[in-house]
Amino acid sequence: MTGSEVPHSFRLAYVPGVTPGKWVRIWNERLPDVPLTLVAVSPGEAFGVLREGGADAGFIRLPVDRTDLSAIPLYTETTVVVIPKDHLIAATEEVSTEDLADEIVLHPLDDTLVWEQLPGRPAIERPATTADAIELVAAGIGVLVVPQSLARLHHRKDLTYRPVPDAPESRVALSWPQEETTDLVEEFIGIVRGRTVNSTRGRPPTPPQPKAKRKRPETGSGSGSGGQRKTTSGKATGKNPRGGSGGAKAAGKGGKSGKPRRRP
């Protein structure tokens, strides 16, 4: 599909924890004739959906293979540990990975964090999903370290969470296939980056209109003008070749000025 073709809708994928509502609202205001369809995807299938054309763009978590996908990092999430409300850690404001050394730390197969070394003690089996791991935390099997958005997504009344400042962080980005950077993709990039309607890429700016030239008043020897110009007071003035006043008369025949001679 080329950039000049306009599809019937724009398909936007998003992984769990991302809330695209505010960007969708702006899209609907600016492009009411192009419906936006949301496509919920798991972290494991997000990139495949983009490559296979299942969505025009998507909110994913980094890292991303930039060989064929473009990505614009948007924000970094706080990492937290999910624990039962009656857990000892719940009495603290935040914890470190060292504080989890004696805990069974669940590591689901769809984990979005990139660990160099997992904290705590590993579970016998890895849960298939984050949702499954949350259930195990509620059952007292272990604790779970996840981005804060996922802790909120899977909120339960019997669970709480605390920040883990020294844990890896998750970065959310907008991604799309490099070969499919269409006009609508550019429109959505502009919305995400906070561009205004007039500055959105893809909309040609309005060319400046030429200003009308002001008509200069005519000067010269008009009827009864005598080649003179009027001052602001309305009196006519003329130019004297000798630099004197235009209204002064030369005295004497020779045109010299001076005092009149006395008669004998």
Side-chain angles (χ1 to χ4, degrees):
M1 181 177 66
T2 62
S4 60
E5 296 176 357
V6 180
H8 296 295
S9 66
F10 184 77
R11 297 158 300 169
L12 179 65
Y14 67 100
V15 295
V18 177
T19 53
K22 64 177 180 179
W23 296 301
V24 174
R25 286 193 298 270
I26 297 174
W27 176 278
N28 291 334
E29 292 172 359
R30 294 188 184 179
L31 291 90
D33 55 334
V34 183
L36 188 152
T37 303
L38 290 174
V39 181
V41 295
S42 67
E45 64 183 1
F47 299 116
V49 169
L50 293 176
R51 290 188 174 102
E52 295 168 6
D56 300 291
F59 291 111
I60 51 85
R61 287 188 172 87
L62 297 175
V64 58
D65 183 359
R66 294 179 182 266
T67 303
D68 59 343
L69 295 175
S70 296
I72 300 175
L74 299 178
Y75 57 89
T76 301
E77 297 185 281
T78 299
T79 303
V80 300
V81 57
V82 180
I83 51 177
K85 280 190 173 181
D86 58 356
H87 197 286
L88 290 176
I89 292 178
T92 63
E93 293 185 359
E94 63 180 33
V95 299
S96 67
T97 53
E98 291 184 359
D99 295 330
L100 304 176
D102 296 330
E103 302 289 339
I104 295 177
V105 179
L106 303 168
H107 186 211
L109 295 175
D110 63 353
D111 188 8
T112 60
L113 302 176
V114 180
W115 295 93
E116 291 185 3
Q117 183 177 357
L118 288 171
R121 297 181 293 144
I124 297 176
E125 294 183 2
R126 294 182 63 182
T129 65
T130 298
D132 293 336
I134 291 289
E135 294 294 330
L136 294 175
V137 174
I141 303 299
V143 299
L144 175 66
V145 181
V146 291
Q148 182 172 317
S149 64
L150 291 179
R152 289 175 174 173
L153 177 65
H154 299 287
H155 172 71
R156 290 176 51 121
K157 293 182 179 180
D158 54 346
L159 299 180
T160 187
Y161 56 84
R162 294 292 181 269
V164 188
D166 62 338
E169 295 175 322
S170 172
R171 300 176 67 196
V172 174
L174 176 67
S175 183
W176 68 95
Q178 292 179 5
E179 299 298 326
E180 297 294 336
T181 309
T182 64
D183 289 343
L184 290 182
V185 170
E186 291 284 7
E187 287 282 356
F188 195 78
I189 292 172
I191 290 173
V192 170
R193 283 183 163 174
R195 297 188 193 129
T196 62
V197 176
N198 293 331
S199 64
T200 299
R201 194 178 298 177
R203 294 175 181 262
T206 304
Q209 300 297 322
K211 295 182 179 180
K213 294 183 179 179
R214 295 181 61 184
K215 197 171 183 179
R216 301 178 65 179
E218 295 181 358
T219 58
S221 56
S223 174
S225 66
Q228 297 176 336
R229 57 186 175 87
K230 290 186 178 182
T231 64
T232 56
S233 62
K235 295 181 180 180
T237 60
K239 293 185 178 180
N240 192 313
R242 297 193 176 188
S245 171
K249 293 182 179 179
K253 294 182 180 180
K256 297 180 180 179
S257 63
K259 295 181 180 180
R261 294 180 183 180
R262 290 184 180 181
R263 291 183 180 180

